[in-house]
Amino acid sequence: MAITLGLLCLFALGTASLAQWPLDQKQPPLRTTGGEFLQPFPGAPMLPPPPPPTLSRDLDEITRLIQFKPLNQLLVRYLINDAQFQAFVRIINSNAGFTARWRLLSQPELILFLQWVDQQLLASGGAFEMEEQELAVTLFNRFPYWSGTVFGWQGFLNEAQLYFPTYAIRAHIDAKLLQPGIFSQFWSRLQALRVVYERWLALPGTAQVVAELQQAGIDTAQLDEIIRDLFGWNVVSAPTTAAPTVTAATSTPAPPTSSPAAVIPPGNGAPVDPLPVA
């Protein structure tokens, strides 16, 4: 499941861009304060049309929706203090987790898709480079109250929504698909990878990793739903009239409106910068 989290950053694409202007568009007449219309000066240079959207520009714009620095600090805080998140990281970095990632990256459809993306980036004369993310993890908390700001796997997902807004990313994707450009072709090719994802989930090695995550208390069904919703791979099921199944009551923290790390430590009333930049 680790590579699917990485694909959230690579394939979570789509954003609004400049509208296409016809090449023969003329400047509209100007209205004066008296109500008369003024024609543009003969021979005046026409404004050039905006450049067409490129895949590199689309990818760059969508990554700006992600707040990488606080997201990295969130990962560090949970990696040091939360046992359930530590189990998740340990499982996806095990030999079985590494093998599962390798098998996904070895799928021929995914290889062809990534090659096509590289070709489009080269053809547009642009480049898309995500800033390399390195976690500066120490053995000790930078602030004493960090240990009280972790709430398991569900708490991590809730807070991650502040810095990785999947709802905003999907809104940009839907808006971008209504416009002409290379992104529509990119999205159609991405949609074709749904069968690759489902085939990979059915592999015995992947099933083993998923089972280990479930034993550690990770809600793999929720993670799968997030991935499918982000990439548009949702399976629309027919509506049923059966009563919903009632499960054991579990209390899960509501999505925070601010980072739990911004807690004032006890003992003084002076605020402390909760998230220093490394």
Side-chain angles (χ1 to χ4, degrees):
M1 303 296 290
I3 188 62
T4 55
L5 292 179
L7 292 178
L8 291 178
C9 294
L10 288 177
F11 297 154
L13 306 171
T15 183
S17 64
L18 297 177
Q20 297 293 321
W21 289 6
L23 296 179
D24 57 349
Q25 183 178 6
K26 299 182 179 180
Q27 294 181 351
L30 303 178
R31 183 187 296 269
T32 64
T33 56
E36 300 84 359
F37 286 97
L38 297 179
Q39 298 296 330
F41 183 77
M46 302 294 293
L47 295 177
T54 62
L55 188 57
S56 60
R57 185 180 299 113
D58 292 337
L59 294 176
D60 180 69
E61 290 175 351
I62 193 61
T63 54
R64 294 180 183 180
L65 297 175
I66 306 172
Q67 303 181 45
F68 286 104
K69 288 186 178 180
L71 183 60
N72 285 351
Q73 293 163 352
L74 171 67
L75 293 171
V76 170
R77 179 156 48 87
Y78 268 79
L79 187 59
I80 296 177
N81 298 282
D82 192 82
Q84 196 172 46
F85 188 79
Q86 293 169 358
F88 170 80
V89 175
R90 182 175 63 254
I91 293 171
I92 64 177
N93 285 284
S94 64
N95 184 59
F98 177 85
T99 303
R101 296 197 306 271
W102 176 82
R103 286 174 178 170
L104 176 60
L105 294 175
S106 300
Q107 298 296 317
E109 296 92 337
L110 182 57
I111 293 177
L112 293 176
F113 172 78
L114 295 178
Q115 290 177 350
W116 179 85
V117 171
D118 291 338
Q119 293 173 358
Q120 297 302 317
L121 295 177
L122 292 175
S124 63
F128 171 70
E129 297 181 0
M130 291 186 61
E131 180 182 355
E132 184 177 358
Q133 304 298 315
E134 295 183 358
L135 300 181
V137 182
T138 62
L139 295 178
F140 303 98
N141 286 322
R142 295 182 179 180
F143 299 96
Y145 57 88
W146 267 15
S147 59
T149 61
V150 293
F151 306 98
W153 173 254
Q154 188 61 49
F156 169 78
L157 289 182
N158 291 340
E159 189 175 350
Q161 294 178 9
L162 298 174
Y163 317 121
F164 193 97
T166 56
Y167 61 92
I169 293 175
R170 275 312 315 242
H172 279 282
I173 291 175
D174 295 338
K176 188 66 178 179
L177 292 176
L178 299 177
Q179 305 174 9
I182 189 62
F183 185 80
S184 297
Q185 186 177 358
F186 171 86
W187 185 253
S188 64
R189 290 176 178 266
L190 181 60
Q191 292 297 287
L193 296 180
R194 170 182 171 180
V195 295
V196 178
Y197 174 71
E198 294 178 346
R199 184 173 64 214
W200 175 71
L201 288 178
L203 294 176
T206 307
Q208 175 186 350
V209 176
V210 172
E212 293 179 1
L213 291 174
Q214 293 174 347
Q215 292 178 0
I218 306 300
D219 191 346
T220 57
Q222 181 187 22
L223 180 59
D224 177 76
E225 182 180 357
I226 294 174
I227 296 172
R228 291 179 183 273
D229 180 70
L230 188 61
F231 296 157
W233 294 342
N234 306 75
V235 179
V236 181
S237 57
T240 58
T241 57
T245 303
V246 179
T247 57
T250 57
S251 60
T252 57
T257 57
S258 61
S259 173
V263 179
I264 299 178
N268 58 65
V272 178
D273 184 8
L275 297 176
V277 179

